[in-house]
Amino acid sequence: MASRRISLGMPTPRRTDETATELPDTSERPDTPALADRFGREATDLRLSLTDFCNLRCTYCMPASGLTFLGKKQLLSVDEVVRLVRIGVERLGIEQVRFTGGEPLTRPDLEEIIAGVASLDPRPDISLTTNAIGLDHRAARLRAAGLDRINVSLDSVVSETFERLSRRPLLHRVLAGIDGARAAGLDPIKVNAVLLPGVNDQELPDLLDWCLERELQLRVIEQMPLDADHIWDRSSMITAGDVHEMLAPRYVLTPVTEAREGAPAELFEVADRATGRHRGRVGVIASVTRPFCADCRRTRLTAEGRVRTCLFSREETDLRGALRSGADDEAIAGIWRAAQWGKKAGHGMDRADFVQPERPMSAIGG
Ligand code: SAM
Ligand code: SF4
């Protein structure tokens, strides 16, 4: 079938990191407005990082000393974020937007950003991934601005373990944030947990119990090699298989029957093994051992406005430069489409030649 070359509408920008190359050859790209790639996938789900700054120092994400954080002028402004999301929903078929970071609540203008995105037509589904510190004071305003859903990261409900993992004694503030989100009517509230061997893995059955009691959906995420300290070890990481083994003495897990539809979490109904009582659901995100790349519907923007087609990309494509040099919407959409066309088939974490990305998770946007 004949294919047409798309017009990007402006000079081709260069990619921006250590493996900088020209944008991919788009001569085979079908003339579709969608964010298509060479493997038949179309991205409808945007993860947008609002900052690389964070007030915690989770060991699997940030070094103890922090990082050299971006300055205010390097971050996308409220208007720039809203414009990029508008281009995404109006021209590229984006349906869902998740704000992340770093810690998105450290941006005082988060309510403004959410209100701007909520006023778009078509209006995307708007969600937030956060450590919940300070959420108790802002949840009602965020909800009023248009926030639909929230995921809170919480790896332990034991103060000592929380501090060991996050290097900050702030468990009480996270718990207050969850209470605030509930009081504001945010529903569902999902809890993300990363398990580290010998640190919090033994707490998993209790953590699940704690979540089920509060009608929070726990999602256990396999640790990925995206930490600044490079502590990830494939041979000792806690796998989805380990999660099932650790939960089996106390719970019976049955796969849910609904289609997964590109969602990263495999969901299970949870019943108490002793009584058979149904308790709720748990999710397992097995990015390492059961990758879901073939169904990936994601595109990413870093806090300084670069397209990253995968967490594990070693290439990024700058949109902020085009935004700030007066490019029109279609030109920006064209650069984004071309970048997405270069998305790789998979993350390659299990390959011998896998190289961890330069940037840690906090700087990419988890
Ligand atoms: N600060 C917010 C938070 O913690 O929710 C948003 C950013 S954080 C980078 C987003 C998610 O990435 C969190 O749920 C966190 O647990 C997860 N994460 C960070 N580093 C990870 C790693 N190396 N492997 C797996 N998940 C990771
Ligand atoms: Fe901060 Fe989230 Fe990374 Fe923890 S996981 S250091 S809360 S960005």
Side-chain angles (χ1 to χ4, degrees):
M1 189 175 63
S3 57
R4 277 174 285 169
R5 188 182 174 82
I6 58 161
S7 162
L8 300 183
M10 66 178 305
T12 306
R14 294 182 68 82
R15 293 198 181 200
T16 43
D17 75 351
E18 73 282 4
T19 55
T21 53
E22 297 292 330
L23 278 165
D25 174 7
T26 52
S27 55
E28 297 297 316
R29 189 186 182 283
D31 193 11
T32 166
L35 284 172
D37 66 39
R38 288 172 294 144
F39 304 96
R41 300 167 296 192
E42 285 185 0
T44 53
D45 177 357
L46 169 61
R47 292 271 161 131
L48 199 156
S49 172
L50 291 174
T51 178
D52 58 345
F53 178 75
C54 190
N55 39 17
L56 295 184
R57 294 285 179 275
C58 304
T59 54
Y60 50 77
C61 180
M62 281 248 205
S65 55
L67 295 159
T68 306
F69 298 113
L70 294 167
K72 196 170 175 211
K73 288 195 178 131
Q74 293 168 288
L75 297 175
L76 296 174
S77 67
V78 174
D79 289 347
E80 287 171 337
V81 170
V82 175
R83 183 170 172 211
L84 285 175
V85 179
R86 182 173 58 69
I87 291 170
V89 298
E90 286 180 355
R91 293 172 188 266
L92 302 169
I94 292 297
E95 295 168 359
Q96 300 183 323
V97 181
R98 175 171 293 277
F99 292 111
T100 180
E103 178 44 51
L105 286 176
T106 62
R107 277 198 66 153
D109 49 12
L110 182 58
E111 288 82 350
E112 251 184 282
I113 291 172
I114 288 178
V117 170
S119 70
L120 296 175
D121 184 16
R123 181 200 190 283
D125 178 76
I126 305 171
S127 56
L128 182 71
T129 300
T130 173
N131 63 26
I133 292 173
L135 185 59
D136 41 339
H137 301 298
R138 294 174 74 181
R141 272 180 284 143
L142 290 167
R143 180 154 191 249
L147 180 62
D148 296 310
R149 291 178 300 112
I150 193 160
N151 286 16
V152 175
S153 300
L154 176 60
D155 305 315
S156 173
V157 287
V158 178
S159 303
E160 298 74 31
T161 315
F162 181 92
E163 182 171 350
R164 195 171 157 204
L165 269 161
S166 66
R167 302 187 178 107
R168 297 288 184 272
L170 296 176
L171 174 63
H172 61 289
R173 297 202 54 197
V174 177
L175 301 184
I178 293 175
D179 288 344
R182 192 196 300 281
L186 285 165
D187 184 37
I189 302 171
K190 295 182 182 168
V191 169
N192 291 353
V194 177
L195 299 179
L196 298 191
V199 182
N200 63 337
D201 55 338
Q202 298 303 320
E203 296 174 11
L204 175 62
D206 290 340
L207 180 62
L208 176 56
D209 188 61
W210 188 92
C211 289
L212 293 168
E213 279 296 299
R214 290 159 182 78
E215 295 184 5
L216 305 167
Q217 190 193 101
L218 178 66
R219 295 141 43 98
V220 185
I221 308 176
E222 283 183 344
Q223 187 194 0
M224 295 179 278
L226 287 168
D227 55 304
D229 292 336
H230 291 233
I231 54 169
W232 184 81
D233 178 354
R234 176 70 176 84
S235 62
S236 61
M237 63 164 278
I238 306 292
T239 64
D242 297 332
V243 168
H244 284 273
E245 264 179 46
M246 288 188 282
L247 292 177
R250 203 186 293 181
Y251 304 103
V252 177
L253 267 51
T254 315
V256 302
T257 44
E258 295 137 42
R260 203 161 149 190
E261 295 191 343
E266 288 178 71
L267 293 179
F268 300 88
E269 303 290 355
V270 182
D272 281 332
R273 186 168 288 285
T275 62
R277 181 165 72 100
H278 182 256
R279 300 285 307 279
R281 287 181 170 184
V282 67
V284 181
I285 304 184
S287 321
V288 181
T289 60
R290 296 180 204 159
F292 32 86
C293 305
D295 293 322
C296 182
R297 299 179 189 178
R298 223 163 258 175
T299 187
R300 295 173 176 274
L301 287 177
T302 66
E304 73 270 58
R306 297 176 183 177
V307 180
R308 210 176 157 104
T309 59
C310 172
L311 274 176
F312 294 92
S313 299
R314 296 185 52 78
E315 293 158 346
E316 295 175 351
T317 304
D318 181 39
L319 294 185
R320 190 189 62 187
L323 273 180
R324 293 186 183 176
S325 62
D328 67 19
D329 288 355
E330 190 46 32
I332 291 167
I335 300 168
W336 199 338
R337 282 186 199 111
Q340 194 72 18
W341 185 244
K343 183 174 169 104
K344 303 269 189 304
H347 53 49
M349 257 186 281
D350 266 346
R351 284 173 36 172
D353 60 351
F354 173 75
V355 181
Q356 178 168 342
E358 285 289 306
R359 294 218 215 194
M361 184 71 122
S362 60
I364 298 169

